[in-house]
Amino acid sequence: MSASIILIVSACLFLAMGVPVAFALGLSTAATLILAESYPLMVLLKETFTGIDSFPLMAVPFFILAAELMSGGSLTEVLLRFAGQFVGHKRGGLGYTNVVSLTFFSGISGSALADAAGPGSMLIRMMDKAGYDRSYAAALTASTAIVGPIIPPSIIMIIYALQDETVSVGALFVAGLLPGLLIAVAMCVVNFHVSKKRNYKGDGRMPPLAEILQTTWKALPAILLPVVILGGMRAGWFTPTEASVVAVFYALVCGKFVYRTLQWKALPDILARSALLSASVLIIIGLSAAFAWILTIEGIPQQMADWLVGMNLSPWMFLIIVNIFLLLFGIFIEPLPGVMVLAPILAPVAVKLGIDPIHFAMVVIYNLTLGMITPPVGGLLFVTCNVSRVPMSQLVRELVPFLWAHGVVLVVLTFIPQLSTWLPKVLGFIK
């Protein structure tokens, strides 16, 4: 039996048994090396280490630490007040506040899970106290948290750029802005219809101008973090990895000296949480790299690429097939290993068919990220159920209109490449 067959069959078996994705990939790699006897078992250790032995990858733990520092500095409350003052008085106001707050916070965390577990849990409690169905609040939070990996900085974009040398981290960061805003608008549209149907009312008043200006001024340092990151990268002041270090310093200064809510005694806990989150991401990356190494050595990517090119598909038909495949693939596997395994296979084919690599990257990233809110694996669903104490069945039932909205956004993003490529071109990240 060939190594590739053992690898794929064993990975499917481990996933079916409920083994976490990272360990399922690692165990299937080990099983292949043992049973196929084509390669030494040391390959697993070597390629796992090689997968995380990357300078650009250092940006991941630093961006995670920056988000933790901002959260420790009471950033969540600041952004909630800032977002709520503009939309809280409208019908369904807290729903809009949820969407706007998580959109702003996604520009800091880069992680959908962090958004749902942090500000998302607070927003769910607020909506529950205001009379919203708790299951609806949870579904809205999970659906909106998807913007976390889309709006920069984004961990999954860093990983994608490492797998596809035709795109840069800076270009992907900028490319995510318009799609991320479009997702937020789609979630607001769903909230508008649901709030009208269920009569979810706002608080009935808009704050006076002086209060709005004061709240906006206080939130400005937090809102400017993505601007500092993207602006510095565009100006050539620092690389994406160096930008992550700047983000940590900026978050530390904001929390300690601007908002004055970050205590030195809280730093050990913040560092411990950041280390734990970083380790969980890096172990997925490392074991995915070992899994992908066997696929590459066995020639699977090249065979698939030749097969797809040989079908003489038009670019649009290829994108449709890729979307269907990724939607199904994303149901069973998380975005990070999905990017590690599939980007080296699909991206070269897209380039051969004349599809802009930035456009294709955004389609892949958004598509795989949607897997986080589709059962049975959907990591965002489990996190949101945990923080909201809502049964999975109720959450999934409320999720249906949001999934339709995401589907519409995916179609628009797929067939209008300019949504992904226009802003990077205007800002000079791509020619």
Side-chain angles (χ1 to χ4, degrees), residues 150 157 170-180 358 362 419-421 423-424:
I150 306 299
M157 288 181 180
L172 286 180
F173 276 6
V174 176
L177 289 173
L178 290 181
I358 293 293
M362 289 308 306
L419 276 173
S420 304
T421 60
L423 201 54

Side-chain angles (χ1 to χ4, degrees), residues 211-235:
E211 184 179 336
I212 291 177
L213 293 176
Q214 183 180 10
T215 304
T216 303
W217 177 256
K218 191 172 182 179
L220 198 59
I223 297 171
L224 285 177
L225 176 57
V227 178
V228 170
I229 294 171
L230 294 175
M233 290 169 59
R234 175 65 186 90

Side-chain angles (χ1 to χ4, degrees), residues 139-216:
L140 176 61
T141 299
S143 301
T144 307
I146 289 294
V147 299
I150 306 299
I151 291 182
S154 166
I155 293 171
I156 193 172
M157 288 181 180
I158 297 172
I159 307 306
Y160 189 100
L162 291 175
Q163 305 306 310
D164 182 5
E165 296 180 353
T166 62
V167 298
S168 67
V169 174
L172 286 180
F173 276 6
V174 176
L177 289 173
L178 290 181
L181 294 176
L182 182 61
I183 294 170
V185 170
M187 298 304 101
C188 286
V189 170
V190 175
N191 181 68
F192 170 80
H193 287 289
V194 174
S195 298
K196 184 177 180 180
K197 181 179 179 181
R198 301 183 185 180
N199 197 27
Y200 292 146
K201 297 180 179 179
D203 61 16
R205 68 176 187 87
M206 190 172 182
L209 180 60
E211 184 179 336
I212 291 177
L213 293 176
Q214 183 180 10
T215 304
T216 303

Side-chain angles (χ1 to χ4, degrees), residues 331-356:
I331 291 175
F332 301 102
I333 198 164
E334 295 174 359
L336 281 181
V339 165
M340 293 284 294
V341 173
L342 295 178
I345 298 174
L346 298 175
V349 180
V351 172
K352 287 183 179 180
L353 293 176
I355 299 171
D356 188 284

Side-chain angles (χ1 to χ4, degrees), residues 1-3 5-11 13-14 23-39 41 44 291 294:
M1 187 180 296
S2 69
I5 294 176
I6 296 174
L7 183 71
I8 295 171
V9 171
S10 58
L13 286 175
F14 284 124
F23 296 108
L25 296 178
L27 289 171
S28 60
T29 303
T32 303
L33 295 173
I34 293 170
L35 297 175
E37 299 181 347
S38 302
Y39 315 103
L41 189 57
L44 176 59
F291 183 91
I294 294 182

Side-chain angles (χ1 to χ4, degrees), residues 37 307 324 369 417:
E37 299 181 347
W307 176 67
I324 296 172
T369 304

